[in-house]
Amino acid sequence: MSKVLPLQSLPDWQQELSQAVSSVAQLCKELNLDPADFPSKNNFPLRIPRPYLNRIKKGDRNDPLLLQAMPQVQEALDAEGYSKDPLGETNVNPVPGLLHKYAGRVLLITTSSCAIHCRYCFRRHFPYAENRPGREKWQKALDYIQNDVTVTEVILSGGDPLAASNKYLAWLLQALAEIPHLQRIRFHTRLPVMIPSRIDSGLVKLLQPWHDRGVIVLHSNHAQEFDSEVDNALKRLSNCGFLLLNQSVLLRGINDTVNEQKALSLRLFQAGVLPYYLFLLDKVAGAAHFDVSISDAKQLILELRSLLPGYLVPKLTCEIAGQESKLPL
Protein backbone atom coordinates (compact mmCIF):
# COMPACT_ATOMS: atom_id res chain seq x y z
CA MET A 1 0.00 0.00 0.00
CA SER A 2 1.36 3.40 -0.97
CA LYS A 3 2.09 5.88 1.80
CA VAL A 4 -0.44 8.70 2.13
CA LEU A 5 1.37 12.01 2.32
CA PRO A 6 0.13 14.78 4.63
CA LEU A 7 -1.61 17.61 2.78
CA GLN A 8 1.21 20.10 3.40
CA SER A 9 3.68 17.68 1.75
CA LEU A 10 1.76 17.58 -1.52
CA PRO A 11 2.55 19.88 -4.48
CA ASP A 12 0.45 23.05 -4.58
CA TRP A 13 -1.79 21.74 -7.35
CA GLN A 14 -2.54 18.52 -5.48
CA GLN A 15 -3.44 20.51 -2.38
CA GLU A 16 -5.85 22.58 -4.47
CA LEU A 17 -7.27 19.41 -6.00
CA SER A 18 -7.87 17.92 -2.56
CA GLN A 19 -9.48 21.14 -1.30
CA ALA A 20 -12.12 21.33 -4.04
CA VAL A 21 -15.58 22.25 -2.78
CA SER A 22 -17.90 19.24 -2.74
CA SER A 23 -20.88 20.53 -0.76
CA VAL A 24 -23.76 22.55 -2.22
CA ALA A 25 -24.25 24.21 1.16
CA GLN A 26 -20.58 25.25 1.35
CA LEU A 27 -20.59 26.50 -2.24
CA CYS A 28 -23.71 28.58 -1.65
CA LYS A 29 -22.23 30.03 1.53
CA GLU A 30 -19.06 31.13 -0.26
CA LEU A 31 -20.96 32.57 -3.24
CA ASN A 32 -23.73 34.27 -1.26
CA LEU A 33 -26.41 32.06 -2.79
CA ASP A 34 -29.55 30.49 -1.33
CA PRO A 35 -29.25 26.68 -1.07
CA ALA A 36 -33.04 26.48 -1.51
CA ASP A 37 -32.48 27.46 -5.17
CA PHE A 38 -30.49 24.25 -5.72
CA PRO A 39 -32.54 21.38 -4.25
CA SER A 40 -31.05 18.69 -6.51
CA LYS A 41 -30.32 15.21 -5.19
CA ASN A 42 -28.44 12.87 -7.53
CA ASN A 43 -25.59 10.40 -7.67
CA PHE A 44 -23.15 12.64 -9.53
CA PRO A 45 -21.42 14.67 -6.81
CA LEU A 46 -20.47 18.32 -6.89
CA ARG A 47 -16.78 19.15 -7.30
CA ILE A 48 -15.36 22.64 -7.95
CA PRO A 49 -11.70 23.61 -7.42
CA ARG A 50 -11.08 26.93 -5.75
CA PRO A 51 -9.15 28.66 -8.57
CA TYR A 52 -12.23 28.15 -10.78
CA LEU A 53 -14.62 29.03 -7.94
CA ASN A 54 -12.84 32.38 -7.55
CA ARG A 55 -13.92 33.34 -11.08
CA ILE A 56 -17.61 32.79 -10.34
CA LYS A 57 -19.56 35.98 -9.63
CA LYS A 58 -20.89 36.03 -6.10
CA GLY A 59 -24.64 36.32 -5.74
CA ASP A 60 -25.34 35.33 -9.36
CA ARG A 61 -27.23 32.03 -9.48
CA ASN A 62 -27.07 32.13 -13.30
CA ASP A 63 -23.31 32.63 -13.56
CA PRO A 64 -22.11 30.61 -16.60
CA LEU A 65 -19.26 29.02 -14.65
CA LEU A 66 -21.51 28.08 -11.75
CA LEU A 67 -24.12 26.46 -14.00
CA GLN A 68 -21.53 24.12 -15.51
CA ALA A 69 -20.85 22.53 -12.12
CA MET A 70 -23.81 23.13 -9.78
CA PRO A 71 -26.26 20.22 -9.51
CA GLN A 72 -29.72 21.11 -10.81
CA VAL A 73 -33.12 19.59 -10.11
CA GLN A 74 -33.59 18.98 -13.88
CA GLU A 75 -30.89 16.30 -13.77
CA ALA A 76 -33.35 13.89 -12.17
CA LEU A 77 -35.84 14.17 -15.05
CA ASP A 78 -36.01 11.44 -17.69
CA ALA A 79 -35.64 12.65 -21.28
CA GLU A 80 -36.33 10.66 -24.41
CA GLY A 81 -33.19 9.77 -26.35
CA TYR A 82 -30.85 10.35 -23.40
CA SER A 83 -28.86 7.43 -21.96
CA LYS A 84 -26.02 6.54 -19.64
CA ASP A 85 -23.74 5.67 -22.56
CA PRO A 86 -24.62 8.11 -25.36
CA LEU A 87 -21.47 7.40 -27.39
CA GLY A 88 -21.56 3.63 -27.07
CA GLU A 89 -18.17 3.54 -25.38
CA THR A 90 -18.80 0.22 -23.66
CA ASN A 91 -18.85 -1.31 -27.16
CA VAL A 92 -15.37 0.00 -28.03
CA ASN A 93 -13.59 -0.96 -24.80
CA PRO A 94 -11.56 -4.06 -25.81
CA VAL A 95 -9.27 -4.04 -22.75
CA PRO A 96 -9.52 -2.20 -19.41
CA GLY A 97 -8.53 1.45 -19.68
CA LEU A 98 -8.56 1.63 -23.49
CA LEU A 99 -11.20 2.82 -26.00
CA HIS A 100 -10.77 2.27 -29.73
CA LYS A 101 -13.43 4.33 -31.49
CA TYR A 102 -11.69 5.57 -34.62
CA ALA A 103 -9.07 4.35 -37.07
CA GLY A 104 -5.47 5.18 -36.27
CA ARG A 105 -5.93 6.29 -32.67
CA VAL A 106 -6.90 4.96 -29.28
CA LEU A 107 -7.90 6.67 -26.05
CA LEU A 108 -6.55 5.73 -22.64
CA ILE A 109 -8.63 6.29 -19.52
CA THR A 110 -5.55 7.58 -17.72
CA THR A 111 -7.42 8.25 -14.49
CA SER A 112 -11.00 8.48 -13.27
CA SER A 113 -10.30 11.74 -11.44
CA CYS A 114 -11.25 15.24 -12.59
CA ALA A 115 -10.67 18.65 -11.06
CA ILE A 116 -14.30 19.55 -11.70
CA HIS A 117 -17.48 17.55 -12.25
CA CYS A 118 -19.16 19.05 -15.30
CA ARG A 119 -22.89 18.45 -15.13
CA TYR A 120 -23.09 17.71 -18.88
CA CYS A 121 -20.18 15.22 -18.88
CA PHE A 122 -20.85 12.36 -21.30
CA ARG A 123 -18.84 10.05 -19.01
CA ARG A 124 -20.76 10.89 -15.83
CA HIS A 125 -22.07 7.29 -15.82
CA PHE A 126 -18.92 5.64 -17.24
CA PRO A 127 -17.84 2.34 -15.56
CA TYR A 128 -14.56 3.69 -14.21
CA ALA A 129 -14.27 0.86 -11.69
CA GLU A 130 -13.82 -1.54 -14.61
CA ASN A 131 -11.35 0.76 -16.40
CA ARG A 132 -8.89 1.60 -13.68
CA PRO A 133 -6.13 -0.89 -14.40
CA GLY A 134 -3.24 0.58 -12.39
CA ARG A 135 0.37 0.16 -13.46
CA GLU A 136 0.49 -3.60 -13.00
CA LYS A 137 -2.46 -4.14 -15.37
CA TRP A 138 -1.73 -1.44 -17.93
CA GLN A 139 0.27 -3.97 -19.88
CA LYS A 140 -2.86 -5.28 -21.63
CA ALA A 141 -3.55 -1.81 -23.03
CA LEU A 142 0.09 -1.28 -23.96
CA ASP A 143 0.20 -4.68 -25.66
CA TYR A 144 -2.97 -3.80 -27.58
CA ILE A 145 -1.28 -0.68 -28.97
CA GLN A 146 1.99 -2.51 -29.59
CA ASN A 147 0.21 -5.21 -31.60
CA ASP A 148 -1.75 -2.82 -33.84
CA VAL A 149 0.68 -0.94 -36.08
CA THR A 150 -2.21 1.12 -37.52
CA VAL A 151 -2.45 2.96 -34.19
CA THR A 152 -0.26 6.03 -34.62
CA GLU A 153 -1.81 8.32 -32.00
CA VAL A 154 -2.69 7.89 -28.34
CA ILE A 155 -5.13 10.21 -26.59
CA LEU A 156 -4.71 10.52 -22.83
CA SER A 157 -8.09 11.24 -21.34
CA GLY A 158 -10.11 10.15 -18.34
CA GLY A 159 -11.25 11.72 -16.10
CA ASP A 160 -8.44 14.16 -16.69
CA PRO A 161 -4.95 12.83 -17.45
CA LEU A 162 -3.28 15.79 -15.72
CA ALA A 163 -5.05 14.82 -12.49
CA ALA A 164 -2.49 12.00 -12.36
CA SER A 165 0.83 12.65 -10.64
CA ASN A 166 3.98 13.56 -12.54
CA LYS A 167 5.53 10.27 -11.43
CA TYR A 168 2.65 8.26 -12.85
CA LEU A 169 2.57 10.24 -16.10
CA ALA A 170 6.34 9.89 -16.52
CA TRP A 171 6.02 6.11 -16.25
CA LEU A 172 3.13 5.95 -18.73
CA LEU A 173 4.78 8.31 -21.24
CA GLN A 174 7.99 6.28 -21.11
CA ALA A 175 6.03 3.09 -21.79
CA LEU A 176 4.35 4.73 -24.78
CA ALA A 177 7.67 6.10 -26.06
CA GLU A 178 8.89 2.53 -26.44
CA ILE A 179 6.17 1.71 -29.00
CA PRO A 180 7.88 2.46 -32.35
CA HIS A 181 4.84 3.15 -34.52
CA LEU A 182 3.36 5.85 -32.25
CA GLN A 183 3.75 9.21 -33.94
CA ARG A 184 1.63 11.54 -31.78
CA ILE A 185 0.30 11.90 -28.28
CA ARG A 186 -2.67 14.02 -27.34
CA PHE A 187 -3.85 15.23 -23.94
CA HIS A 188 -7.50 16.11 -23.34
CA THR A 189 -7.55 18.22 -20.20
CA ARG A 190 -9.30 20.92 -18.18
CA LEU A 191 -6.59 21.16 -15.51
CA PRO A 192 -4.71 24.18 -16.95
CA VAL A 193 -7.97 26.13 -16.72
CA MET A 194 -9.29 24.63 -13.49
CA ILE A 195 -6.02 24.60 -11.49
CA PRO A 196 -3.29 26.53 -13.36
CA SER A 197 -0.63 25.55 -10.81
CA ARG A 198 -0.86 22.02 -12.25
CA ILE A 199 1.49 23.12 -15.03
CA ASP A 200 4.52 22.95 -12.78
CA SER A 201 8.19 22.57 -13.68
CA GLY A 202 8.06 18.81 -13.20
CA LEU A 203 5.21 18.41 -15.68
CA VAL A 204 6.89 20.70 -18.19
CA LYS A 205 10.07 18.64 -17.95
CA LEU A 206 8.36 15.31 -18.60
CA LEU A 207 6.31 16.75 -21.50
CA GLN A 208 9.32 18.32 -23.20
CA PRO A 209 10.48 15.16 -25.07
CA TRP A 210 7.09 15.07 -26.84
CA HIS A 211 7.24 18.71 -27.97
CA ASP A 212 7.45 17.91 -31.68
CA ARG A 213 4.62 15.37 -31.69
CA GLY A 214 2.34 16.47 -28.88
CA VAL A 215 -1.06 18.17 -28.89
CA ILE A 216 -2.91 19.51 -25.88
CA VAL A 217 -6.66 19.91 -26.29
CA LEU A 218 -8.20 22.06 -23.60
CA HIS A 219 -11.84 22.04 -22.65
CA SER A 220 -13.12 25.55 -21.99
CA ASN A 221 -16.64 26.82 -22.57
CA HIS A 222 -16.64 30.48 -21.61
CA ALA A 223 -14.28 33.47 -21.72
CA GLN A 224 -14.84 34.05 -18.00
CA GLU A 225 -12.87 30.86 -17.30
CA PHE A 226 -9.62 32.66 -18.17
CA ASP A 227 -7.45 34.88 -16.01
CA SER A 228 -3.74 35.78 -15.82
CA GLU A 229 -2.89 32.55 -13.97
CA VAL A 230 -4.49 30.46 -16.71
CA ASP A 231 -2.66 32.51 -19.34
CA ASN A 232 0.67 31.84 -17.63
CA ALA A 233 -0.03 28.10 -17.37
CA LEU A 234 -0.87 27.93 -21.07
CA LYS A 235 2.25 29.89 -21.94
CA ARG A 236 4.34 27.31 -20.10
CA LEU A 237 2.74 24.60 -22.22
CA SER A 238 3.18 26.46 -25.50
CA ASN A 239 6.83 27.12 -24.59
CA CYS A 240 7.24 23.33 -24.55
CA GLY A 241 6.33 23.37 -28.24
CA PHE A 242 2.88 21.83 -27.88
CA LEU A 243 0.06 22.78 -30.20
CA LEU A 244 -2.78 24.13 -28.04
CA LEU A 245 -6.37 23.62 -29.20
CA ASN A 246 -9.71 24.03 -27.47
CA GLN A 247 -12.91 22.06 -27.64
CA SER A 248 -16.11 23.29 -26.05
CA VAL A 249 -19.67 22.10 -25.68
CA LEU A 250 -22.61 24.26 -26.76
CA LEU A 251 -24.66 24.65 -23.59
CA ARG A 252 -28.04 26.34 -23.22
CA GLY A 253 -27.89 29.28 -20.85
CA ILE A 254 -24.09 29.22 -20.69
CA ASN A 255 -22.50 29.88 -24.09
CA ASP A 256 -25.31 29.66 -26.65
CA THR A 257 -25.14 33.25 -27.94
CA VAL A 258 -22.97 34.69 -30.68
CA ASN A 259 -21.48 37.26 -28.32
CA GLU A 260 -20.42 34.57 -25.85
CA GLN A 261 -18.88 32.42 -28.57
CA LYS A 262 -17.08 35.39 -30.09
CA ALA A 263 -15.69 36.38 -26.68
CA LEU A 264 -14.50 32.82 -26.07
CA SER A 265 -12.70 32.57 -29.42
CA LEU A 266 -10.97 35.90 -28.92
CA ARG A 267 -9.99 35.06 -25.35
CA LEU A 268 -8.60 31.69 -26.45
CA PHE A 269 -6.45 33.36 -29.09
CA GLN A 270 -5.22 35.87 -26.51
CA ALA A 271 -4.08 32.89 -24.41
CA GLY A 272 -2.34 31.23 -27.37
CA VAL A 273 -5.03 28.62 -28.04
CA LEU A 274 -6.93 27.98 -31.28
CA PRO A 275 -10.64 27.05 -31.27
CA TYR A 276 -11.00 23.49 -32.52
CA TYR A 277 -14.42 21.91 -31.94
CA LEU A 278 -17.76 23.23 -30.76
CA PHE A 279 -19.70 20.09 -29.88
CA LEU A 280 -23.40 19.63 -29.73
CA LEU A 281 -24.37 18.17 -26.37
CA ASP A 282 -23.87 14.43 -26.07
CA LYS A 283 -27.23 13.03 -25.00
CA VAL A 284 -26.21 11.74 -21.61
CA ALA A 285 -28.85 11.08 -18.97
CA GLY A 286 -29.13 14.05 -16.62
CA ALA A 287 -28.03 16.76 -19.07
CA ALA A 288 -31.05 17.36 -21.33
CA HIS A 289 -31.61 20.86 -19.94
CA PHE A 290 -28.33 21.97 -21.56
CA ASP A 291 -29.36 20.96 -25.08
CA VAL A 292 -29.32 23.41 -28.00
CA SER A 293 -31.07 22.44 -31.23
CA ILE A 294 -29.10 21.73 -34.39
CA SER A 295 -30.86 24.57 -36.24
CA ASP A 296 -29.98 27.08 -33.51
CA ALA A 297 -26.40 25.83 -33.43
CA LYS A 298 -26.01 26.18 -37.19
CA GLN A 299 -27.42 29.70 -37.12
CA LEU A 300 -25.02 30.64 -34.36
CA ILE A 301 -22.02 29.42 -36.38
CA LEU A 302 -23.20 31.28 -39.48
CA GLU A 303 -23.35 34.52 -37.51
CA LEU A 304 -19.99 33.80 -35.89
CA ARG A 305 -18.39 33.35 -39.31
CA SER A 306 -19.52 36.83 -40.26
CA LEU A 307 -17.75 38.31 -37.24
CA LEU A 308 -14.47 36.40 -37.00
CA PRO A 309 -11.70 35.15 -39.29
CA GLY A 310 -12.00 31.48 -40.16
CA TYR A 311 -9.21 30.32 -37.85
CA LEU A 312 -11.16 31.62 -34.86
CA VAL A 313 -14.39 29.81 -35.74
CA PRO A 314 -14.60 26.32 -34.18
CA LYS A 315 -15.94 23.38 -36.17
CA LEU A 316 -19.54 22.70 -35.21
CA THR A 317 -19.55 18.95 -34.66
CA CYS A 318 -21.47 16.09 -33.11
CA GLU A 319 -20.45 12.59 -32.14
CA ILE A 320 -22.71 9.63 -32.82
CA ALA A 321 -22.14 6.16 -31.45
CA GLY A 322 -20.85 3.71 -34.04
CA GLN A 323 -19.85 6.28 -36.67
CA GLU A 324 -16.37 6.13 -38.19
CA SER A 325 -15.62 9.74 -37.24
CA LYS A 326 -17.08 12.80 -35.62
CA LEU A 327 -19.63 14.49 -37.87
CA PRO A 328 -19.22 18.14 -38.92
CA LEU A 329 -22.47 20.08 -39.22
Side-chain angles (χ1 to χ4, degrees), residues 201-275:
S201 58
L203 179 65
V204 168
K205 183 177 180 180
L206 71 90
L207 291 179
Q208 191 66 50
W210 294 87
H211 73 278
D212 57 346
R213 48 183 175 149
V215 180
I216 292 177
V217 182
L218 303 174
H219 175 188
S220 177
N221 295 315
H222 199 278
Q224 189 180 319
E225 295 178 13
F226 291 82
D227 61 13
S228 60
E229 291 185 358
V230 175
D231 289 343
N232 289 335
L234 295 175
K235 186 173 183 179
R236 291 194 289 274
L237 289 174
S238 63
N239 285 346
C240 288
F242 275 77
L243 176 64
L244 302 184
L245 304 173
N246 184 70
Q247 57 186 12
S248 57
V249 181
L250 187 58
L251 300 166
R252 182 169 299 281
I254 293 174
N255 61 3
D256 57 335
T257 71
V258 172
N259 286 340
E260 286 163 332
Q261 286 295 325
K262 177 183 176 182
L264 174 59
S265 286
L266 292 173
R267 190 61 183 84
L268 285 166
F269 187 73
Q270 180 183 335
V273 184
L274 283 178

Side-chain angles (χ1 to χ4, degrees), residues 88-290:
E89 291 192 326
T90 55
N91 298 324
V92 290
N93 188 193
V95 297
L98 183 145
L99 302 178
H100 196 172
K101 293 184 186 181
Y102 304 129
R105 53 205 184 275
V106 298
L107 182 148
L108 296 183
I109 303 293
T110 315
T111 175
S112 60
S113 298
C114 280
I116 187 169
H117 289 172
C118 303
R119 308 316 301 178
Y120 53 87
C121 179
F122 66 89
R123 289 200 184 116
R124 58 183 288 171
H125 306 287
F126 187 77
Y128 284 109
E130 301 166 20
N131 284 277
R132 195 180 298 150
R135 287 197 201 185
E136 69 282 358
K137 295 183 180 178
W138 265 118
Q139 196 58 48
K140 285 187 178 181
L142 295 170
D143 287 345
Y144 183 97
I145 300 168
Q146 178 78 51
N147 294 332
D148 188 345
V149 296
T150 69
V151 174
T152 57
E153 181 173 21
V154 167
I155 300 165
L156 299 186
S157 184
D160 193 307
L162 296 191
S165 69
N166 287 348
K167 183 178 181 180
Y168 185 85
L169 286 174
W171 169 81
L172 182 57
L173 288 173
Q174 179 57 43
L176 292 172
E178 294 172 3
I179 299 176
H181 53 270
L182 281 187
Q183 299 173 9
R184 295 176 305 281
I185 192 162
R186 195 192 325 170
F187 294 82
H188 283 189
T189 179
R190 291 208 85 181
L191 256 296
V193 176
M194 296 297 112
I195 302 178
S197 63
R198 176 62 187 101
I199 315 304
D200 57 21
S201 58
L203 179 65
V204 168
K205 183 177 180 180
L206 71 90
L207 291 179
Q208 191 66 50
W210 294 87
H211 73 278
D212 57 346
R213 48 183 175 149
V215 180
I216 292 177
V217 182
L218 303 174
H219 175 188
S220 177
N221 295 315
H222 199 278
Q224 189 180 319
E225 295 178 13
F226 291 82
D227 61 13
S228 60
E229 291 185 358
V230 175
D231 289 343
N232 289 335
L234 295 175
K235 186 173 183 179
R236 291 194 289 274
L237 289 174
S238 63
N239 285 346
C240 288
F242 275 77
L243 176 64
L244 302 184
L245 304 173
N246 184 70
Q247 57 186 12
S248 57
V249 181
L250 187 58
L251 300 166
R252 182 169 299 281
I254 293 174
N255 61 3
D256 57 335
T257 71
V258 172
N259 286 340
E260 286 163 332
Q261 286 295 325
K262 177 183 176 182
L264 174 59
S265 286
L266 292 173
R267 190 61 183 84
L268 285 166
F269 187 73
Q270 180 183 335
V273 184
L274 283 178
Y276 176 37
Y277 280 136
L278 175 59
F279 283 110
L280 291 185
L281 180 75
D282 294 315
K283 294 187 180 298
V284 63
H289 55 292
F290 289 118

Side-chain angles (χ1 to χ4, degrees), residues 12-64:
D12 289 347
W13 72 271
Q14 288 187 325
Q15 292 187 40
E16 291 183 307
L17 192 63
S18 69
Q19 293 169 343
V21 173
S22 57
S23 160
V24 171
Q26 180 65 28
L27 184 61
C28 288
K29 180 180 179 181
E30 296 198 24
L31 293 176
N32 300 329
L33 297 169
D34 185 353
D37 290 336
F38 305 98
S40 172
K41 292 182 180 180
N42 61 68
N43 295 323
F44 188 46
L46 166 73
R47 184 177 179 85
I48 297 184
R50 292 192 174 275
Y52 180 86
L53 187 155
N54 291 338
R55 300 172 214 145
I56 298 174
K57 297 174 184 176
K58 291 187 176 183
D60 184 358
R61 67 184 307 273
N62 294 311
D63 180 273

